[in-house]
Amino acid sequence: MPKLQRLRIDAFHAQKGRCCYCSFPMWNVSPDELKPFGLRAKTARPLRCTAEHLVAQQEGGKDVAGNIAAACWLCNTRRHKRKSPPSPEAYRAFVQKRLAKGKWHPPSVAQLRRR
């Protein structure tokens, strides 16, 4: 198993399957893992677990346990699409504010906030 994949899986389990930014449950192997939450596979796609480099690789971040967190695909993608990605702490605060306003996840996924 590749090192980054192992680090992602370890982070997933350490975080009890929750995204480090939005705290929503994620799936690791199959979107069907979120069926108990009432999500169909297609709806659950944005909640796929990804390896989040807390310090980006282009900024010298390494594939080591202290630099890898588990983040859902949506949070990870949105953070790194920015011209200048914010620090993990600042980004988490931003995501939490958006969640409080109901403006982060699509409505079909946002229902998980109540669980």
Side-chain angles (χ1 to χ4, degrees), residues 28-41:
N28 191 31
V29 177
S30 166
D32 290 336
E33 293 170 36
L34 295 181
K35 274 188 178 179
F37 293 97
L39 291 183
R40 294 184 327 228

Side-chain angles (χ1 to χ4, degrees), residues 61-104:
K62 306 285 184 211
D63 289 350
V64 296
N67 191 44
I68 301 297
C72 70
W73 176 86
L74 185 76
C75 289
N76 195 344
T77 301
R78 286 181 174 174
R79 177 177 179 227
H80 293 288
K81 278 188 176 179
R82 293 166 165 244
K83 289 181 183 177
S84 179
S87 72
E89 297 81 13
Y91 188 64
R92 179 168 168 62
F94 170 76
V95 170
Q96 292 298 315
K97 283 182 189 175
R98 298 284 302 195
L99 281 168
K101 294 178 181 179
K103 297 184 177 184
W104 189 250

